[in-house]
Every structure is written in C-alpha cells, then in structure tokens.
C-alpha cells in the first residue's frame, strides 16, 4: 500500500514548490498534475485548436500519448514521445490549461493516469481536485491558500526576476480570472474538502509551510522512506 499526500489550492499559492520540498524530505515521488493539463494545452495551441471547441479539444487529447517520467529526480511530461517541460510554463499555456481542464473528456484521461501513479508510489500530488477526485482516500489532505494580492505579487516578482515586463494590476486580474474558472467549472472544481487542513501561506516562508506539512504528515502517521 502506498502513502498519499494531496495538496490542492489556487494558482500561485506555492503548491508545486512546497509539494516538491515535502516529497524530497519524505523521499516520496512528487506528481505535478498541473503539468499534465499544461501538456494537453500545449498540444491544443500547437495544433491550432480553439480552447472553446470541446469536441476538437477532447478528440485531440484522447489521441495523445502522455507519460510521466523522472529525469534527475524532476518530473518530466512526455507528450507523444517529446519531453515538453521547457514549453509548458508560460502564461499562455497556463490559461489554455485552465480553459481545457473544464472538459470531462480531458479530465478523465489525466485523472486515470494520476490515480495509477498514486497507487504505485508514495506520492505528494498537487493540483485542484486531488483530495476531491483523484486520491479521495489520501492519508493527508492539505488546502494551500494565499491572499490573491500576495499570489499576484509572487507572480509579478517571478516575471521581473526573469527580466520580463509585468503589470501588477493586470496579473492580479489574471489570477482572479483563473481562480474563478477553476472554482466554478462543472467538472471537479477546486474545492476545499471538509477534511483538508487549511494552510494559508500569505505570511509564511517556504520553509515554514514545508515544516508545517511535514508536521501534519507525522501527526497522520505517514513515515519517511
Ligand atoms: O497548477 P497549474 O497552474 O500548473 O495548473 C494549470 C491549470 O490546469 C489550472 O489552472 C487548472 C488545471 N488543473 C486542473 O484542472 N486540475 C489539476 N489537478 C491541476 C491543474
């Protein structure tokens, strides 16, 4: 039997950074489910398919081969034989991922893959529907949140650090739009399930959040490996 830690929350709450650090500490496998939706989004963009066309998007995604592998300990998404990691971290791909993830056909395929990974390995998995749909029996469920202004500022600082132009007000609106879409879709919206522990990272450092989740893991009898 494998151990499962589910971390859900809105864009920019720090899920992937924290989930990665927790996985490292416990020697668990980190599964970034957002990257899988991003890979599908990239496929749609490259194929010129509109995110509004459910039939075309679903058909394209169902015909695609998606695999997860680990290169030097980091997750790589292999889309039709190509490692697409270098192409999926853009704003355009993130927005398209949020748009196409509303479709049941897209979700069913990726959720199945995520569930297979979750039974094979001890995992820390992050996303929007991990506690509610992918790993409903997870040993620990965390809802990682942060104030929208803090999340927008983090994104702004990231872009600035990369030397890119950024407008804080525009970013804040994009973050709000993404939250709205992710929380109000019909299929597996982002929700905090009642048993999830709420961790608000607004005024916490990465180390503080990681330590808090490790403490919760210990309290829930999850061993290190
Ligand atoms: O976490 P992220 O920014 O990489 O996710 C990109 C989009 O993918 C997100 O806006 C919604 C979708 N997503 C999802 O619907 N379910 C998940 N488990 C993970 C991501």
């Amino acid at each position: 039997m494998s151990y499962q830690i589910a971390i859900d929350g809105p864009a920019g709450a720090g899920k992937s950074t924290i989930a990665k650090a927790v996985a490292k500490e416990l020697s668990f496998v980190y599964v970034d489910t957002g990257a899988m939706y991003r890979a599908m989004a990239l496929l749609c963009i490259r194929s010129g398919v509109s995110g509004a066309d459910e039939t075309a998007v679903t058909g394209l995604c169902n015909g695609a081969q998606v695999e997860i592998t680990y290169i030097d300990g980091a997750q790589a998404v292999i889309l039709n034989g190509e490692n697409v990691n270098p192409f999926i971290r853009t704003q355009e791909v993130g927005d398209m991922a949020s748009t196409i993830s509303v479709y049941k056909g897209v979700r069913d395929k990726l959720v199945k893959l995520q569930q297979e990974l979750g039974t094979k390995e001890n995992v820390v998995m992050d996303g929007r529907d991990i506690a509610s749909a992918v790993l409903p029996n997870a040993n620990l469920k965390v809802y990682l949140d942060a104030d929208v202004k803090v999340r927008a500022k983090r994104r702004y600082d990231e872009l600035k650090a990369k030397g890119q132009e950024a407008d804080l007000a525009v970013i804040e609106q994009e973050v709000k739009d993404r939250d709205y879409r992710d929380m109000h879709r019909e299929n597996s919206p982002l929700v905090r399930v009642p048993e999830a522990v709420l961790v608000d990272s607004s005024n916490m450092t990465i180390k503080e959040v990681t330590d808090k989740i490790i403490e919760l893991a210990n309290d829930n009898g999850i061993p290190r490996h």
Side-chain angles (χ1 to χ4, degrees):
M1 198 201 78
S2 63
Y3 287 92
Q4 303 170 335
I5 298 178
I7 304 182
D8 292 295
K15 294 188 300 294
S16 58
T17 306
I18 300 299
K20 224 179 277 174
V22 170
K24 189 162 183 233
E25 185 98 0
L26 298 175
S27 295
F28 279 26
V29 172
Y30 166 53
V31 181
D32 172 358
T33 63
M36 300 181 197
Y37 290 93
R38 285 171 181 267
M40 290 300 181
L42 180 71
L43 181 64
C44 292
I45 294 168
R46 282 180 172 175
S47 310
V49 164
S50 159
D53 187 342
E54 178 170 0
T55 309
V57 168
T58 307
L60 193 61
C61 291
N62 279 325
Q65 206 192 353
V66 191
E67 286 164 292
I68 295 298
T69 186
Y70 290 84
I71 300 173
D72 296 333
Q75 173 184 298
V77 186
I78 311 296
L79 174 68
N80 295 328
E82 176 193 3
N83 175 0
V84 292
N85 269 28
F87 312 110
I88 59 175
R89 292 287 149 211
T90 66
Q91 178 76 31
E92 184 193 14
V93 171
D95 284 341
M96 181 62 113
S98 175
T99 302
I100 64 163
S101 63
V102 304
Y103 302 135
K104 187 170 182 302
V106 175
R107 304 202 69 81
D108 285 351
K109 180 185 174 105
L110 297 183
V111 167
K112 187 164 169 277
L113 177 62
Q114 292 154 12
Q115 287 175 332
E116 283 166 10
L117 288 166
T119 47
K120 271 201 291 223
E121 311 273 2
N122 296 313
V123 290
V124 181
M125 196 177 287
D126 80 349
R128 304 293 187 290
D129 60 338
I130 309 305
S132 61
V134 180
L135 305 176
N137 299 317
N139 305 78
L140 172 64
K141 298 177 178 182
V142 173
Y143 189 89
L144 187 61
D145 207 350
D147 185 83
V148 68
K149 286 201 182 302
V150 173
R151 291 187 283 123
K153 180 71 167 54
R154 286 176 186 164
R155 175 85 192 126
Y156 174 87
D157 290 343
E158 254 172 46
L159 291 172
K160 283 282 174 190
K162 284 190 213 158
Q164 294 178 21
E165 270 312 300
D167 179 327
L168 189 55
V170 171
I171 292 174
E172 190 177 323
Q173 192 54 51
E174 283 168 356
V175 170
K176 282 183 181 160
D177 291 347
R178 177 108 79 97
D179 285 357
Y180 188 87
R181 235 185 352 247
D182 293 349
M183 289 173 180
H184 292 86
R185 66 183 179 216
E186 189 184 340
N187 298 305
S188 304
L190 169 63
V191 286
R192 180 187 161 201
V193 297
E195 65 274 26
V197 181
L198 174 67
V199 177
D200 185 331
S201 74
S202 302
N203 297 307
M204 291 170 84
T205 63
I206 292 169
K207 177 152 193 330
E208 284 168 343
V209 180
T210 306
D211 288 351
K212 171 78 193 161
I213 296 178
I214 296 289
E215 187 190 311
L216 291 168
N218 290 338
D219 294 348
N220 281 270
I222 298 173
R224 280 161 209 266
H225 282 80

